[in-house]
Amino acid sequence: MKRFFTVVLSAFLCLSASAQINVFEGSLADGLKKAKKEKKDLMVMVSTTWCGPCKAFAKEMIPSKEVGDYVNPKYVFMHFDVDKEDPNSIQDTYGIAAYPTFLILDGKGAELGRFVGGSRTVEQFAQKEQAALNSPLSAAKKAFKEDPVANLDKYVAALKAEYRMEDAYEAYSVVFDKMGPEEFFKNYSRSVSDVIRYVNVNYEDKIMKYLLDNPESSKEWFGDSYHPVVAGPISSITFNAYMGKNEKDVADAWKTLDGTYAQYPILKNFFSDFTLENRALVEAKDVNSLLNQILISPAKGGELFYPFYAVVEMAKKMDFETFKPRLVEVARMLGGKDPEQQFLYVVDRDLAAKEAKKEEKPAPKRIAEGEQCPEFTYKDYTGKEYHLSDFAGKYIVFDFWATWCGPCCYELPYLEQVEKEFEGNDKVVFVSVSIDKEEGKNTYATWEKAVHDGGFTKGDNEYHLGGIQLNESGDKSLTEAFRITGIPRFLIIGPDGKVVTADAPRPSKGMAEMLKELLK
């Protein structure tokens, strides 16, 4: 297969003497006409001005003779930066959610395939193109049309692989009609919520409208994720009031804020409230007055970030250089001592990076394998303290997790299996350290109740908790020493207190096998 691919690639490279990819300028309709006339397909690179891989491809690959020799004989090639403007509605028509996306279209505009991400060599580019043309998506789509319910999972998986979240959401909508709410949410509450995060949801849509109109039953299906699912899209809709792509987007945003947002208290947030309260200023695009309103607002910190960000984006679509000095001034006032300079970052990345560098603190030394594990003091839900010395002479398997973390919960049944496999073995102990905070909305209390009960329910799933269950309780000794910035994270400490591995295999992916080797 590899030899065949190489031969095909070589053949194409011999067909043309082009100096680079020939980029056709014009509308999408013009490109389709040209492709049809030349009996070629149309390849469209959809990118943004801020996308690093997009810039690299434009700088390195478009001028490349090798890539030009491969592309030009087969395709009419076009390139659109959709954050500048998108008069062809390419982003919405084809559901673009990642950049760069390369669309392969026939002369009628029907999609033959797509691939995502940059390439650094002609071989890499050609492999992606060939994989797109031989994608399993077309077969999955055909099967879905024949029997949507039976083939939904395969079709959605194929769509997700190509970042086609809008199409995935439409597929869920089709099955929602066929199944009815109860059966649909019983089977797909988790997977549809993952998709909703990436699409521009309309609150008049049947799925979202049902979730809002039936909160009690919906909370049973979605659990703690109910609020993020229904309330998450409102901020994106509110942004459109400031910088919608067209008049319809802006009008739809105000319609939603006046109607759906006002009707459902669960959607309430500071950003949307601020926008409604200052509607006249937003509609007039009065940047300076909006900045003044932000500064006199009683809200602080993170709540002010979204209004400020929206005003910055509004200014960028106007005379940005005129507004920039004031934006920088306000960003500094709002940021206070923020070491990451988030407010300033949305105005000027380079300036923010310089100021953040001034605030940098030396990172704590990272503990390596074979080194001594730092001391720690963690507590169980009764307040009893545990220290490294309590586990001397045993292998310690640490699981850093939280009750709200989906991937963490996914590992719990597998962790339970591993714990049972080594039950009665006094050479190994399993210690779960929750980072659920003592302060915050139903986090520490959720963990405390789960440990007391020996488990908890999340959506349709029941999770059992074994081993020793502790809470970080403000002790950052291990999270800092091992640079734990994402969970779940598994560590193994040896009987001598030294680090065996700071990133052990997950229970679902080989933890038991590793422990067996250690215990031989």
Side-chain angles (χ1 to χ4, degrees), residues 144-274:
F144 177 77
K145 285 184 176 180
E146 293 173 356
D147 190 340
V149 174
N151 295 292
L152 175 65
D153 290 335
K154 287 184 178 179
Y155 181 46
V156 167
L159 289 168
K160 284 183 175 180
E162 299 189 6
Y163 300 93
R164 299 177 64 169
M165 298 303 187
E166 297 281 355
D167 291 337
Y169 186 73
E170 286 183 18
Y172 280 124
S173 297
V174 170
V175 174
F176 177 82
D177 282 340
K178 292 184 176 296
M179 279 188 165
E182 186 170 347
E183 187 180 357
F184 175 81
F185 288 123
K186 184 178 179 181
N187 287 281
Y188 297 109
S189 59
R190 178 179 294 181
S191 55
V192 77
S193 66
D194 289 341
V195 170
I196 286 172
R197 292 186 300 160
Y198 297 99
V199 299
N200 293 318
V201 170
N202 182 341
Y203 279 105
E204 293 301 312
D205 171 81
K206 52 202 166 191
I207 292 178
M208 293 301 293
K209 190 162 181 13
Y210 183 90
L211 292 177
L212 285 174
D213 288 336
N214 300 273
E216 295 309 315
S217 56
S218 298
K219 287 175 183 176
E220 291 181 14
W221 292 315
F222 285 83
D224 293 340
S225 64
Y226 172 72
H227 182 264
V229 168
V230 296
I234 199 66
S235 291
S236 297
I237 292 170
T238 305
F239 270 113
N240 280 339
Y242 293 80
M243 50 187 182
K245 287 178 289 186
N246 49 51
E247 290 183 4
K248 183 179 182 302
D249 280 351
V250 175
D252 286 346
W254 288 119
K255 180 182 176 183
T256 300
L257 290 173
D258 288 334
T260 306
Y261 180 75
Q263 181 181 353
Y264 297 98
I266 195 170
L267 301 180
K268 293 290 181 180
N269 66 50
F270 175 79
F271 177 36
S272 299
D273 282 346
F274 175 90

Side-chain angles (χ1 to χ4, degrees), residues 427-495:
K427 294 182 179 180
V428 61
V429 60
F430 294 88
V431 181
S432 294
V433 182
S434 162
I435 66 169
D436 289 289
K437 296 179 180 178
E438 292 195 34
E439 294 181 3
K441 188 176 179 181
N442 199 35
T443 52
Y444 184 86
T446 301
W447 169 79
E448 187 177 39
K449 184 177 186 304
V451 177
H452 178 271
D453 295 344
F456 63 102
T457 301
K458 194 178 182 73
D460 296 325
N461 300 309
E462 291 186 3
Y463 300 104
H464 301 286
L465 301 178
I468 296 173
Q469 296 289 331
L470 307 178
N471 187 275
E472 190 178 51
S473 303
D475 185 346
K476 304 287 186 183
S477 301
L478 297 193
T479 51
E480 289 182 353
F482 295 107
R483 308 274 179 88
I484 297 175
T485 57
I487 53 174
R489 177 79 172 273
F490 296 90
L491 319 171
I492 298 180
I493 310 300

Side-chain angles (χ1 to χ4, degrees), residues 241-357:
Y242 293 80
M243 50 187 182
K245 287 178 289 186
N246 49 51
E247 290 183 4
K248 183 179 182 302
D249 280 351
V250 175
D252 286 346
W254 288 119
K255 180 182 176 183
T256 300
L257 290 173
D258 288 334
T260 306
Y261 180 75
Q263 181 181 353
Y264 297 98
I266 195 170
L267 301 180
K268 293 290 181 180
N269 66 50
F270 175 79
F271 177 36
S272 299
D273 282 346
F274 175 90
T275 302
L276 282 168
E277 289 167 7
N278 295 281
R279 179 169 184 162
L281 300 178
V282 175
E283 290 183 325
K285 299 190 182 300
D286 189 340
V287 172
N288 285 315
S289 294
L290 283 167
L291 290 174
N292 290 336
Q293 290 301 115
I294 290 172
L295 286 173
I296 65 173
S297 168
K300 295 181 180 179
E303 282 189 324
L304 295 172
F305 182 80
Y306 282 125
F308 180 72
Y309 178 45
V311 173
V312 171
E313 291 301 309
M314 175 188 282
K316 286 181 178 178
K317 286 183 172 288
M318 299 165 65
D319 187 1
F320 182 62
E321 290 305 315
T322 299
F323 292 117
K324 185 174 177 180
R326 177 62 173 160
L327 292 169
V328 169
E329 178 187 12
V330 174
R332 286 177 170 145
M333 294 170 69
L334 294 174
K337 295 183 179 180
D338 173 20
E340 295 181 11
Q341 300 294 339
Q342 295 183 58
F343 286 93
L344 188 55
Y345 182 83
V346 301
V347 182
D348 188 320
R349 296 183 182 187
D350 292 335
L351 189 57
K354 289 178 182 177
E355 296 203 3
K357 195 170 183 180

